[in-house]
Amino acid sequence: VPEDTTYISCSKLPTIVIYPNPTSDILKINIGNTGVTNITLFSLLGEKIQEIETKNTYFEIIMTKYSKGIYFLHFKTTQGVFIKKIMKI
């Protein structure tokens, strides 16, 4: 994570729907009208796995190609970055 990253406090988190979590195949993400400009999937070790530019409000990440374990979704907004933990089973 870049050192100049600003993190958003819990009280200011936009409502984003991520399901199913845990997942074994397809992770569905609905960002609605939250101001998210970019979504990045990271491994538990901090390796960037996938990056998505948010031109739509609904996305799917195919998780079948990734190993079982914990991953992190970084959501970048105009206010900063917030992180959601997901699990691949």
Side-chain angles (χ1 to χ4, degrees), residues 43-86:
S43 72
L44 184 60
L45 300 175
E47 176 186 1
K48 186 187 292 187
I49 305 292
Q50 185 174 349
E51 192 164 2
I52 302 168
E53 287 188 35
T54 57
K55 297 178 183 177
N56 300 307
T57 59
Y58 176 82
F59 306 92
E60 291 184 348
I61 297 177
I62 299 170
M63 297 295 292
T64 53
K65 56 189 169 186
Y66 304 127
S67 301
K68 294 178 182 179
I70 296 174
Y71 294 84
F72 296 97
L73 286 170
H74 288 218
F75 294 87
K76 183 178 180 183
T77 72
T78 55
Q79 297 177 322
V81 174
F82 73 96
I83 300 169
K84 293 278 192 172
K85 180 173 78 171
I86 59 169

Side-chain angles (χ1 to χ4, degrees), residues 11-54:
S11 63
K12 296 181 181 180
L13 288 179
T15 302
I16 292 178
V17 180
I18 302 169
Y19 62 98
N21 188 16
T23 187
S24 59
D25 53 9
I26 297 175
L27 184 68
K28 299 172 184 182
I29 305 168
N30 186 340
I31 61 170
N33 188 18
T34 57
V36 172
T37 58
N38 182 280
I39 303 169
T40 308
L41 177 66
F42 287 92
S43 72
L44 184 60
L45 300 175
E47 176 186 1
K48 186 187 292 187
I49 305 292
Q50 185 174 349
E51 192 164 2
I52 302 168
E53 287 188 35
T54 57

